[in-house]
Amino acid sequence: MKLRRQSFLLGAVLFGALLGGYGCKDKAESPSGGGSGDKPGTKTETTTESKGNSVTGDTIKIGEYGSMTGDNSTFGISTDRGIKLAIEEANAAGGIQGKKIELVSEDDASKAEQAKTVVQKLVSSDKVVAVIGEVASSRSMMAAPICQGAKVPMVSPSSTNPEVTRKGDYIFRVCFTDDFQAVVAAQFAFDQGFKNVAIFTDVKSDYSKAFGELFGKKFKSLGGKIASEPTYQSGDVDFKAQLATIKGSNPDAVLIPGYYTEVGTIARQAREVGVSIPLIGGDGWESDQLVPGAGTALEGCFFTNHYFVHDGTVEPHVQKFLDAFSKAYPGKKPGALDALGYDAARVIIEGLRKAKTLDSVALRDAIADTKDYQGISGKITLDKERNARKEALVLKIAGKEFKPFKTYKPEQVGL
Ligand code: PHE
């Protein structure tokens, strides 16, 4: 009996917390329409309008949620390396106003529902003043309303779907959006002489769907043709039927705006069924598991990305990062996700330095003011939509390596 009562209580608390997240979201998006679910006399902390979280103890808590395990675990693991490096550096330099930063990390196991649950915990139990995450747009979009409702700024290092930061004024990102990235991919494909391209989209991914659509729109506006548009779902393992459709539509290249997890298998099967044309992708291909998954099937193929460590001379602040990185993670080279994780954490740390008071509301305002911050992934100025405007790279796959091939500035694609 006692046990049952406890689990009922736990269930009620969890359910209340989830409802709280949604209730707050409604209020944030339509200030006059509040009151959702509030019953007189039963007001709880999560259903009243949040005042944000303040620093109360001797550490400043920042939350991180990411795919440390599950389908896209390399995304979470790489990002985490960059975040930890930035926080360790800030603490070694004395912290903020004499307080050390404490990172509270949560694994969402690459699942959108879990992202929501762990972010709810970060904002309501750990009372973090900022949240870093996620990489995958679908998971960022699930968790953003919780941060928005709790008045805790969320900074995504690398989610590119345009909708992510439209979830509210507490939601930021330090990367460009797919309004730009997908347009770059289309311009690049066209510049390479491809006039007829098939688009193979993951319909379970918000990133993939928007990328495919935005690419198609730009490619057609340039005078290109879309040969066919089959779809798959993350988790699928057999892509042969769709690849036969693609082959039958006779394209010059195939855009696969997916994650490395499926792209390797798709590439192998494409070659098996005789699709031997170039495959093009976006930042979702970025993983040290991409080539191992594909074998030689992606040799000579291209994908757009945020950042690349150049051999040779780099700017002094990048060299400092590279030295610190190789000291902290011997034998590893930072990729785009390491760099973006580092930049997301640094933007929050700079915000903490400038914030009028040490709480999540003042921190939001300080982050919103980010201007000309010298990031590792490029200079970061957050615009009114809380996005960063940066260059995009096109990388070419050569053996196990990614090689920089071309760069596009927003101006070069009419933005
Ligand atoms: N941009 C991807 C998304 O929004 C995530 C991603 C970024 C993956 C960078 C790898 C590298 O879902």
Side-chain angles (χ1 to χ4, degrees), residues 258-323:
Y259 291 156
Y260 72 93
T261 327
E262 283 82 23
V263 169
T265 314
I266 294 173
R268 278 177 195 269
Q269 292 181 6
R271 302 325 183 198
E272 275 165 36
V273 302
V275 175
S276 50
I277 50 179
L279 309 177
I280 299 173
D283 56 356
W285 287 25
E286 151 94 21
S287 171
D288 51 16
Q289 290 307 307
L290 179 74
V291 174
T296 55
L298 285 173
E299 184 65 25
C301 291
F302 302 98
F303 66 102
T304 51
N305 208 351
H306 305 260
Y307 164 83
F308 184 77
V309 197
H310 295 268
D311 299 328
T313 328
V314 293
E315 292 171 90
H317 74 284
V318 178
Q319 191 57 53
K320 224 181 108 208
F321 165 76
L322 294 177
D323 294 344

Short mmCIF file of all heavy atoms in Angstrom, two decimals, residues 258-323:
data_model
loop_
_atom_site.label_atom_id
_atom_site.label_comp_id
_atom_site.label_asym_id
_atom_site.label_seq_id
_atom_site.Cartn_x
_atom_site.Cartn_y
_atom_site.Cartn_z
N GLY A 258 20.36 13.72 -44.06
CA GLY A 258 20.07 12.86 -42.89
C GLY A 258 21.23 12.90 -41.91
O GLY A 258 22.12 13.73 -42.01
N TYR A 259 21.17 11.97 -40.95
CA TYR A 259 22.25 11.84 -39.97
C TYR A 259 23.15 10.67 -40.37
O TYR A 259 22.71 9.72 -41.02
CB TYR A 259 21.67 11.59 -38.57
CG TYR A 259 20.94 12.79 -37.98
CD1 TYR A 259 19.97 12.60 -37.00
CD2 TYR A 259 21.22 14.09 -38.40
CE1 TYR A 259 19.31 13.69 -36.44
CE2 TYR A 259 20.56 15.17 -37.85
CZ TYR A 259 19.60 14.97 -36.88
OH TYR A 259 18.95 16.04 -36.33
N TYR A 260 24.39 10.75 -39.90
CA TYR A 260 25.41 9.74 -40.25
C TYR A 260 24.92 8.31 -40.03
O TYR A 260 25.31 7.39 -40.74
CB TYR A 260 26.69 10.02 -39.44
CG TYR A 260 26.57 9.69 -37.96
CD1 TYR A 260 26.95 8.45 -37.46
CD2 TYR A 260 26.05 10.63 -37.06
CE1 TYR A 260 26.84 8.15 -36.11
CE2 TYR A 260 25.94 10.34 -35.70
CZ TYR A 260 26.33 9.10 -35.23
OH TYR A 260 26.21 8.81 -33.91
N THR A 261 24.06 8.15 -39.02
CA THR A 261 23.58 6.83 -38.62
C THR A 261 23.03 6.05 -39.82
O THR A 261 23.34 4.88 -40.01
CB THR A 261 22.46 7.01 -37.58
OG1 THR A 261 22.75 8.17 -36.81
CG2 THR A 261 22.29 5.81 -36.70
N GLU A 262 22.16 6.69 -40.61
CA GLU A 262 21.58 6.01 -41.77
C GLU A 262 22.37 6.27 -43.05
O GLU A 262 22.33 5.46 -43.97
CB GLU A 262 20.13 6.46 -42.00
CG GLU A 262 19.12 5.85 -41.05
CD GLU A 262 19.08 6.58 -39.71
OE1 GLU A 262 19.47 7.77 -39.66
OE2 GLU A 262 18.66 5.95 -38.72
N VAL A 263 23.04 7.43 -43.13
CA VAL A 263 23.68 7.82 -44.39
C VAL A 263 24.72 6.79 -44.85
O VAL A 263 24.78 6.46 -46.04
CB VAL A 263 24.30 9.24 -44.29
CG1 VAL A 263 25.19 9.55 -45.49
CG2 VAL A 263 23.19 10.29 -44.20
N GLY A 264 25.48 6.23 -43.91
CA GLY A 264 26.49 5.22 -44.27
C GLY A 264 25.84 4.04 -44.97
O GLY A 264 26.29 3.59 -46.03
N THR A 265 24.76 3.54 -44.38
CA THR A 265 24.06 2.38 -44.95
C THR A 265 23.42 2.73 -46.29
O THR A 265 23.48 1.95 -47.25
CB THR A 265 22.96 1.89 -43.96
OG1 THR A 265 23.53 1.84 -42.67
CG2 THR A 265 22.41 0.55 -44.36
N ILE A 266 22.81 3.91 -46.36
CA ILE A 266 22.19 4.34 -47.62
C ILE A 266 23.24 4.38 -48.73
O ILE A 266 23.03 3.88 -49.84
CB ILE A 266 21.52 5.74 -47.46
CG1 ILE A 266 20.33 5.66 -46.50
CG2 ILE A 266 21.08 6.29 -48.83
CD1 ILE A 266 19.71 7.02 -46.15
N ALA A 267 24.41 4.93 -48.41
CA ALA A 267 25.47 5.06 -49.42
C ALA A 267 25.92 3.68 -49.91
O ALA A 267 26.04 3.44 -51.11
CB ALA A 267 26.64 5.84 -48.83
N ARG A 268 26.12 2.76 -48.97
CA ARG A 268 26.53 1.39 -49.37
C ARG A 268 25.49 0.75 -50.28
O ARG A 268 25.82 0.19 -51.32
CB ARG A 268 26.62 0.49 -48.13
CG ARG A 268 27.88 0.59 -47.35
CD ARG A 268 27.72 -0.34 -46.13
NE ARG A 268 28.72 -0.06 -45.13
CZ ARG A 268 29.91 -0.67 -45.08
NH1 ARG A 268 30.21 -1.59 -45.96
NH2 ARG A 268 30.77 -0.37 -44.14
N GLN A 269 24.22 0.84 -49.85
CA GLN A 269 23.16 0.18 -50.63
C GLN A 269 22.99 0.86 -51.98
O GLN A 269 22.68 0.22 -52.98
CB GLN A 269 21.86 0.15 -49.84
CG GLN A 269 21.96 -0.78 -48.63
CD GLN A 269 20.68 -0.86 -47.81
OE1 GLN A 269 19.64 -0.31 -48.18
NE2 GLN A 269 20.77 -1.56 -46.70
N ALA A 270 23.21 2.19 -52.02
CA ALA A 270 23.10 2.92 -53.30
C ALA A 270 24.09 2.33 -54.29
O ALA A 270 23.74 2.02 -55.44
CB ALA A 270 23.39 4.40 -53.08
N ARG A 271 25.32 2.14 -53.85
CA ARG A 271 26.36 1.59 -54.74
C ARG A 271 26.00 0.16 -55.15
O ARG A 271 26.19 -0.22 -56.30
CB ARG A 271 27.73 1.61 -54.07
CG ARG A 271 28.24 3.00 -53.61
CD ARG A 271 27.84 4.14 -54.47
NE ARG A 271 28.41 5.43 -54.04
CZ ARG A 271 27.94 6.60 -54.43
NH1 ARG A 271 26.88 6.68 -55.24
NH2 ARG A 271 28.49 7.72 -54.03
N GLU A 272 25.42 -0.60 -54.22
CA GLU A 272 25.04 -1.99 -54.53
C GLU A 272 23.99 -2.07 -55.63
O GLU A 272 24.02 -2.96 -56.45
CB GLU A 272 24.48 -2.67 -53.27
CG GLU A 272 25.56 -3.26 -52.37
CD GLU A 272 25.02 -3.60 -50.98
OE1 GLU A 272 23.84 -4.04 -50.88
OE2 GLU A 272 25.77 -3.39 -50.02
N VAL A 273 23.05 -1.12 -55.61
CA VAL A 273 21.98 -1.18 -56.64
C VAL A 273 22.36 -0.37 -57.89
O VAL A 273 21.53 -0.19 -58.77
CB VAL A 273 20.60 -0.73 -56.10
CG1 VAL A 273 20.17 -1.57 -54.91
CG2 VAL A 273 20.58 0.76 -55.74
N GLY A 274 23.59 0.11 -57.94
CA GLY A 274 24.06 0.77 -59.16
C GLY A 274 23.80 2.26 -59.23
O GLY A 274 23.85 2.85 -60.30
N VAL A 275 23.53 2.91 -58.07
CA VAL A 275 23.45 4.37 -58.05
C VAL A 275 24.88 4.85 -57.78
O VAL A 275 25.36 4.79 -56.65
CB VAL A 275 22.49 4.87 -56.95
CG1 VAL A 275 22.51 6.40 -56.86
CG2 VAL A 275 21.07 4.38 -57.19
N SER A 276 25.57 5.29 -58.83
CA SER A 276 27.00 5.58 -58.65
C SER A 276 27.31 7.07 -58.73
O SER A 276 28.46 7.48 -58.74
CB SER A 276 27.82 4.81 -59.68
OG SER A 276 27.26 5.02 -60.96
N ILE A 277 26.29 7.89 -58.76
CA ILE A 277 26.44 9.35 -58.84
C ILE A 277 26.82 9.95 -57.47
O ILE A 277 26.65 9.29 -56.45
CB ILE A 277 25.12 10.00 -59.35
CG1 ILE A 277 23.97 9.45 -58.51
CG2 ILE A 277 24.93 9.74 -60.84
CD1 ILE A 277 22.62 10.01 -58.86
N PRO A 278 27.29 11.22 -57.46
CA PRO A 278 27.63 11.84 -56.17
C PRO A 278 26.43 11.96 -55.22
O PRO A 278 25.32 12.24 -55.65
CB PRO A 278 28.13 13.23 -56.57
CG PRO A 278 28.53 13.11 -58.00
CD PRO A 278 27.62 12.08 -58.59
N LEU A 279 26.73 11.76 -53.94
CA LEU A 279 25.73 11.97 -52.89
C LEU A 279 26.13 13.25 -52.15
O LEU A 279 27.32 13.48 -51.92
CB LEU A 279 25.70 10.78 -51.94
CG LEU A 279 25.58 9.40 -52.60
CD1 LEU A 279 25.63 8.28 -51.56
CD2 LEU A 279 24.30 9.29 -53.43
N ILE A 280 25.13 14.06 -51.82
CA ILE A 280 25.40 15.34 -51.15
C ILE A 280 24.63 15.37 -49.83
O ILE A 280 23.48 14.92 -49.77
CB ILE A 280 24.93 16.51 -52.06
CG1 ILE A 280 25.70 16.49 -53.39
CG2 ILE A 280 25.13 17.88 -51.36
CD1 ILE A 280 25.18 17.49 -54.40
N GLY A 281 25.25 15.92 -48.79
CA GLY A 281 24.58 15.98 -47.50
C GLY A 281 24.81 17.30 -46.80
O GLY A 281 25.40 18.24 -47.36
N GLY A 282 24.36 17.36 -45.55
CA GLY A 282 24.53 18.55 -44.72
C GLY A 282 25.31 18.20 -43.47
O GLY A 282 25.94 17.14 -43.37
N ASP A 283 25.23 19.09 -42.46
CA ASP A 283 26.01 18.91 -41.24
C ASP A 283 25.71 17.61 -40.51
O ASP A 283 26.55 17.11 -39.77
CB ASP A 283 25.85 20.13 -40.31
CG ASP A 283 24.40 20.44 -39.96
OD1 ASP A 283 23.50 19.77 -40.49
OD2 ASP A 283 24.18 21.37 -39.16
N GLY A 284 24.53 17.03 -40.74
CA GLY A 284 24.16 15.78 -40.08
C GLY A 284 25.07 14.61 -40.43
O GLY A 284 25.04 13.56 -39.79
N TRP A 285 25.92 14.79 -41.45
CA TRP A 285 26.89 13.75 -41.82
C TRP A 285 28.11 13.79 -40.91
O TRP A 285 28.93 12.88 -40.92
CB TRP A 285 27.36 13.96 -43.26
CG TRP A 285 26.37 13.60 -44.32
CD1 TRP A 285 25.01 13.58 -44.23
CD2 TRP A 285 26.68 13.23 -45.68
NE1 TRP A 285 24.45 13.23 -45.44
CE2 TRP A 285 25.46 13.01 -46.35
CE3 TRP A 285 27.88 13.08 -46.40
CZ2 TRP A 285 25.39 12.63 -47.69
CZ3 TRP A 285 27.81 12.70 -47.73
CH2 TRP A 285 26.58 12.47 -48.37
N GLU A 286 28.27 14.89 -40.19
CA GLU A 286 29.47 15.10 -39.37
C GLU A 286 29.55 14.07 -38.24
O GLU A 286 28.80 14.14 -37.26
CB GLU A 286 29.44 16.52 -38.80
CG GLU A 286 30.13 16.71 -37.47
CD GLU A 286 31.57 17.17 -37.59
OE1 GLU A 286 31.93 17.72 -38.64
OE2 GLU A 286 32.32 16.96 -36.63
N SER A 287 30.45 13.12 -38.40
CA SER A 287 30.67 12.14 -37.34
C SER A 287 31.92 11.34 -37.70
O SER A 287 32.16 11.08 -38.88
CB SER A 287 29.48 11.18 -37.25
OG SER A 287 29.79 10.11 -36.37
N ASP A 288 32.66 10.93 -36.66
CA ASP A 288 33.81 10.07 -36.98
C ASP A 288 33.32 8.66 -37.32
O ASP A 288 34.11 7.79 -37.68
CB ASP A 288 34.84 10.08 -35.84
CG ASP A 288 34.22 9.79 -34.48
OD1 ASP A 288 33.08 9.29 -34.43
OD2 ASP A 288 34.88 10.05 -33.45
N GLN A 289 32.02 8.44 -37.22
CA GLN A 289 31.47 7.14 -37.60
C GLN A 289 30.92 7.13 -39.04
O GLN A 289 30.44 6.10 -39.51
CB GLN A 289 30.34 6.75 -36.63
CG GLN A 289 30.84 6.41 -35.24
CD GLN A 289 31.93 5.35 -35.27
OE1 GLN A 289 31.76 4.29 -35.86
NE2 GLN A 289 33.08 5.65 -34.67
N LEU A 290 30.95 8.28 -39.72
CA LEU A 290 30.37 8.33 -41.07
C LEU A 290 31.11 7.40 -42.04
O LEU A 290 30.48 6.51 -42.64
CB LEU A 290 30.39 9.77 -41.61
CG LEU A 290 29.84 9.92 -43.03
CD1 LEU A 290 28.31 9.80 -43.05
CD2 LEU A 290 30.25 11.26 -43.67
N VAL A 291 32.40 7.58 -42.16
CA VAL A 291 33.17 6.77 -43.13
C VAL A 291 33.21 5.29 -42.70
O VAL A 291 32.96 4.42 -43.53
CB VAL A 291 34.56 7.38 -43.39
CG1 VAL A 291 35.39 6.46 -44.25
CG2 VAL A 291 34.42 8.76 -44.06
N PRO A 292 33.43 4.99 -41.41
CA PRO A 292 33.36 3.57 -41.02
C PRO A 292 32.01 2.93 -41.41
O PRO A 292 31.97 1.78 -41.81
CB PRO A 292 33.53 3.60 -39.50
CG PRO A 292 34.34 4.84 -39.25
CD PRO A 292 33.91 5.83 -40.31
N GLY A 293 30.94 3.69 -41.33
CA GLY A 293 29.62 3.15 -41.69
C GLY A 293 29.43 2.99 -43.19
O GLY A 293 28.69 2.12 -43.65
N ALA A 294 30.11 3.82 -43.95
CA ALA A 294 29.90 3.83 -45.41
C ALA A 294 30.92 3.00 -46.16
O ALA A 294 30.71 2.68 -47.34
CB ALA A 294 29.94 5.27 -45.91
N GLY A 295 32.05 2.67 -45.52
CA GLY A 295 33.14 2.03 -46.26
C GLY A 295 33.67 3.03 -47.28
O GLY A 295 33.90 4.18 -46.94
N THR A 296 33.76 2.59 -48.55
CA THR A 296 34.27 3.52 -49.57
C THR A 296 33.13 4.18 -50.34
O THR A 296 33.37 4.92 -51.29
CB THR A 296 35.17 2.78 -50.57
OG1 THR A 296 34.40 1.68 -51.08
CG2 THR A 296 36.42 2.26 -49.91
N ALA A 297 31.88 3.91 -49.93
CA ALA A 297 30.73 4.35 -50.73
C ALA A 297 30.55 5.86 -50.80
O ALA A 297 29.84 6.36 -51.67
CB ALA A 297 29.45 3.70 -50.18
N LEU A 298 31.21 6.61 -49.89
CA LEU A 298 31.05 8.08 -49.92
C LEU A 298 32.29 8.79 -50.47
O LEU A 298 32.40 10.01 -50.39
CB LEU A 298 30.74 8.60 -48.51
CG LEU A 298 29.31 8.36 -48.02
CD1 LEU A 298 29.18 8.76 -46.55
CD2 LEU A 298 28.29 9.12 -48.86
N GLU A 299 33.21 8.01 -51.00
CA GLU A 299 34.44 8.61 -51.53
C GLU A 299 34.10 9.68 -52.57
O GLU A 299 33.30 9.45 -53.49
CB GLU A 299 35.30 7.50 -52.17
CG GLU A 299 36.64 7.95 -52.67
CD GLU A 299 37.59 8.42 -51.55
OE1 GLU A 299 37.43 7.99 -50.40
OE2 GLU A 299 38.49 9.23 -51.87
N GLY A 300 34.67 10.87 -52.40
CA GLY A 300 34.44 11.95 -53.37
C GLY A 300 33.10 12.68 -53.20
O GLY A 300 32.79 13.58 -53.97
N CYS A 301 32.32 12.30 -52.19
CA CYS A 301 31.01 12.97 -51.97
C CYS A 301 31.21 14.23 -51.12
O CYS A 301 32.26 14.44 -50.52
CB CYS A 301 30.04 12.02 -51.30
SG CYS A 301 29.56 10.68 -52.40
N PHE A 302 30.16 15.03 -51.05
CA PHE A 302 30.26 16.36 -50.42
C PHE A 302 29.20 16.56 -49.34
O PHE A 302 28.09 16.07 -49.48
CB PHE A 302 30.02 17.45 -51.47
CG PHE A 302 30.96 17.41 -52.63
CD1 PHE A 302 30.60 16.80 -53.83
CD2 PHE A 302 32.22 17.99 -52.53
CE1 PHE A 302 31.47 16.77 -54.91
CE2 PHE A 302 33.10 17.97 -53.60
CZ PHE A 302 32.72 17.35 -54.80
N PHE A 303 29.54 17.33 -48.32
CA PHE A 303 28.50 17.79 -47.38
C PHE A 303 28.84 19.17 -46.82
O PHE A 303 30.01 19.55 -46.74
CB PHE A 303 28.26 16.78 -46.25
CG PHE A 303 29.38 16.55 -45.29
CD1 PHE A 303 29.36 17.15 -44.03
CD2 PHE A 303 30.46 15.73 -45.61
CE1 PHE A 303 30.39 16.92 -43.11
CE2 PHE A 303 31.49 15.50 -44.70
CZ PHE A 303 31.45 16.10 -43.45
N THR A 304 27.81 19.92 -46.50
CA THR A 304 27.99 21.26 -45.94
C THR A 304 28.24 21.13 -44.43
O THR A 304 27.75 20.21 -43.79
CB THR A 304 26.74 22.14 -46.16
OG1 THR A 304 25.59 21.42 -45.71
CG2 THR A 304 26.56 22.49 -47.62
N ASN A 305 29.00 22.07 -43.88
CA ASN A 305 29.30 21.99 -42.45
C ASN A 305 29.66 23.37 -41.90
O ASN A 305 29.75 24.34 -42.63
CB ASN A 305 30.43 20.99 -42.20
CG ASN A 305 30.35 20.35 -40.82
OD1 ASN A 305 29.55 20.77 -39.97
ND2 ASN A 305 31.17 19.36 -40.57
N HIS A 306 29.84 23.41 -40.57
CA HIS A 306 30.03 24.68 -39.85
C HIS A 306 31.49 25.07 -39.71
O HIS A 306 31.82 26.24 -39.58
CB HIS A 306 29.48 24.55 -38.42
CG HIS A 306 28.05 24.13 -38.37
ND1 HIS A 306 27.03 25.01 -38.17
CD2 HIS A 306 27.46 22.91 -38.50
CE1 HIS A 306 25.88 24.37 -38.15
NE2 HIS A 306 26.11 23.09 -38.36
N TYR A 307 32.34 24.08 -39.61
CA TYR A 307 33.70 24.36 -39.14
C TYR A 307 34.61 23.23 -39.59
O TYR A 307 34.19 22.10 -39.74
CB TYR A 307 33.68 24.43 -37.61
CG TYR A 307 35.03 24.32 -36.95
CD1 TYR A 307 35.84 25.46 -36.83
CD2 TYR A 307 35.51 23.11 -36.46
CE1 TYR A 307 37.09 25.36 -36.22
CE2 TYR A 307 36.75 23.01 -35.85
CZ TYR A 307 37.54 24.14 -35.73
OH TYR A 307 38.76 24.05 -35.13
N PHE A 308 35.86 23.57 -39.78
CA PHE A 308 36.85 22.55 -40.08
C PHE A 308 38.20 22.98 -39.53
O PHE A 308 38.58 24.13 -39.67
CB PHE A 308 36.94 22.34 -41.59
CG PHE A 308 37.88 21.23 -41.95
CD1 PHE A 308 37.47 19.92 -41.79
CD2 PHE A 308 39.16 21.50 -42.37
CE1 PHE A 308 38.33 18.87 -42.07
CE2 PHE A 308 40.03 20.45 -42.66
CZ PHE A 308 39.62 19.14 -42.52
N VAL A 309 38.93 22.07 -38.89
CA VAL A 309 40.26 22.42 -38.39
C VAL A 309 41.22 22.40 -39.57
O VAL A 309 41.48 21.35 -40.14
CB VAL A 309 40.83 21.38 -37.41
CG1 VAL A 309 41.97 21.98 -36.62
CG2 VAL A 309 39.79 20.77 -36.57
N HIS A 310 41.74 23.56 -39.91
CA HIS A 310 42.70 23.62 -41.01
C HIS A 310 44.07 23.24 -40.51
O HIS A 310 44.45 23.58 -39.40
CB HIS A 310 42.76 25.04 -41.57
CG HIS A 310 41.46 25.45 -42.18
ND1 HIS A 310 41.19 25.26 -43.51
CD2 HIS A 310 40.36 26.01 -41.65
CE1 HIS A 310 39.96 25.70 -43.76
NE2 HIS A 310 39.44 26.15 -42.64
N ASP A 311 44.79 22.51 -41.34
CA ASP A 311 46.20 22.31 -41.00
C ASP A 311 46.86 23.63 -41.34
O ASP A 311 46.39 24.36 -42.19
CB ASP A 311 46.79 21.20 -41.88
CG ASP A 311 46.07 19.89 -41.66
OD1 ASP A 311 45.61 19.66 -40.52
OD2 ASP A 311 45.92 19.12 -42.62
N GLY A 312 47.95 23.93 -40.69
CA GLY A 312 48.64 25.17 -41.01
C GLY A 312 48.22 26.29 -40.09
O GLY A 312 47.69 26.05 -39.00
N THR A 313 48.42 27.52 -40.52
CA THR A 313 48.24 28.66 -39.63
C THR A 313 46.76 28.98 -39.42
O THR A 313 45.99 29.05 -40.37
CB THR A 313 48.92 29.92 -40.22
OG1 THR A 313 50.06 29.49 -40.96
CG2 THR A 313 49.32 30.89 -39.15
N VAL A 314 46.41 29.17 -38.16
CA VAL A 314 45.04 29.57 -37.82
C VAL A 314 45.13 30.82 -36.94
O VAL A 314 46.20 31.16 -36.44
CB VAL A 314 44.27 28.45 -37.07
CG1 VAL A 314 44.03 27.26 -37.98
CG2 VAL A 314 45.00 28.02 -35.81
N GLU A 315 44.00 31.46 -36.73
CA GLU A 315 43.99 32.65 -35.87
C GLU A 315 44.42 32.25 -34.45
O GLU A 315 44.16 31.12 -34.03
CB GLU A 315 42.58 33.25 -35.82
CG GLU A 315 42.13 33.84 -37.13
CD GLU A 315 40.66 34.20 -37.06
OE1 GLU A 315 40.37 35.33 -36.66
OE2 GLU A 315 39.82 33.34 -37.38
N PRO A 316 45.04 33.20 -33.70
CA PRO A 316 45.57 32.85 -32.36
C PRO A 316 44.53 32.24 -31.42
O PRO A 316 44.85 31.29 -30.69
CB PRO A 316 46.07 34.20 -31.83
CG PRO A 316 46.27 35.06 -33.03
CD PRO A 316 45.38 34.57 -34.10
N HIS A 317 43.29 32.77 -31.45
CA HIS A 317 42.31 32.21 -30.49
C HIS A 317 41.92 30.77 -30.86
O HIS A 317 41.61 29.96 -30.00
CB HIS A 317 41.08 33.12 -30.35
CG HIS A 317 40.14 33.08 -31.52
ND1 HIS A 317 40.40 33.71 -32.71
CD2 HIS A 317 38.94 32.48 -31.68
CE1 HIS A 317 39.40 33.51 -33.55
NE2 HIS A 317 38.50 32.76 -32.94
N VAL A 318 41.99 30.45 -32.15
CA VAL A 318 41.70 29.08 -32.58
C VAL A 318 42.87 28.18 -32.20
O VAL A 318 42.67 27.05 -31.71
CB VAL A 318 41.41 29.01 -34.10
CG1 VAL A 318 41.16 27.58 -34.55
CG2 VAL A 318 40.22 29.90 -34.47
N GLN A 319 44.09 28.68 -32.36
CA GLN A 319 45.27 27.89 -31.97
C GLN A 319 45.24 27.57 -30.48
O GLN A 319 45.52 26.44 -30.08
CB GLN A 319 46.55 28.67 -32.32
CG GLN A 319 47.81 27.83 -32.21
CD GLN A 319 47.76 26.57 -33.09
OE1 GLN A 319 47.50 26.65 -34.29
NE2 GLN A 319 47.94 25.40 -32.49
N LYS A 320 44.81 28.55 -29.68
CA LYS A 320 44.71 28.34 -28.23
C LYS A 320 43.73 27.20 -27.92
O LYS A 320 43.97 26.33 -27.10
CB LYS A 320 44.23 29.65 -27.58
CG LYS A 320 44.99 30.01 -26.32
CD LYS A 320 44.48 31.30 -25.71
CE LYS A 320 43.71 31.02 -24.44
NZ LYS A 320 42.70 31.98 -24.10
N PHE A 321 42.60 27.24 -28.64
CA PHE A 321 41.58 26.19 -28.48
C PHE A 321 42.16 24.83 -28.88
O PHE A 321 41.99 23.84 -28.17
CB PHE A 321 40.35 26.55 -29.34
CG PHE A 321 39.39 25.41 -29.55
CD1 PHE A 321 38.51 25.01 -28.55
CD2 PHE A 321 39.33 24.73 -30.77
CE1 PHE A 321 37.61 23.96 -28.74
CE2 PHE A 321 38.43 23.69 -30.98
CZ PHE A 321 37.58 23.30 -29.96
N LEU A 322 42.86 24.79 -30.02
CA LEU A 322 43.40 23.51 -30.51
C LEU A 322 44.41 22.93 -29.51
O LEU A 322 44.40 21.73 -29.24
CB LEU A 322 44.06 23.69 -31.88
CG LEU A 322 43.11 24.05 -33.03
CD1 LEU A 322 43.89 24.27 -34.33
CD2 LEU A 322 42.06 22.97 -33.23
N ASP A 323 45.24 23.82 -28.94
CA ASP A 323 46.23 23.36 -27.96
C ASP A 323 45.54 22.82 -26.71
O ASP A 323 45.89 21.74 -26.21
CB ASP A 323 47.17 24.51 -27.57
CG ASP A 323 48.04 24.96 -28.74
OD1 ASP A 323 48.13 24.20 -29.74
OD2 ASP A 323 48.61 26.07 -28.68
#
